[in-house]
Amino acid sequence: MRLWLSESERRPDPAPARADARKALLAGTLGWLVVLVVCLSAGERLEAAGLGWLTIAAAVGIALGVIGLVVVQAMRRRVRQSSSGSSAPDA
């Protein structure tokens, strides 16, 4: 096995994978929502065990997920508007 290849031997990089960040953010946010519901239902037991901070962590996770969804949606809208604006014929 060789650890170094010259530029002439190197294959080109693969194309980046297309992914929808909204699905990943939504799945993570829903996961934090489930954790929050569990934490709220077992609040006293978590506090007694010194794990009351999990409720706050779940709430912060949900907030960050919602912020991420808003940012990703705004970026998608901006890309869509710039691509539709550039394809319009010049008047």
Side-chain angles (χ1 to χ4, degrees), residues 13-43:
D13 294 335
R18 295 190 51 98
D20 190 1
R22 295 177 301 174
K23 291 178 184 175
L25 283 165
L26 186 60
T29 304
L30 291 176
W32 281 116
L33 183 62
V34 169
V35 171
L36 181 64
V37 168
V38 170
C39 286
L40 290 175
S41 66

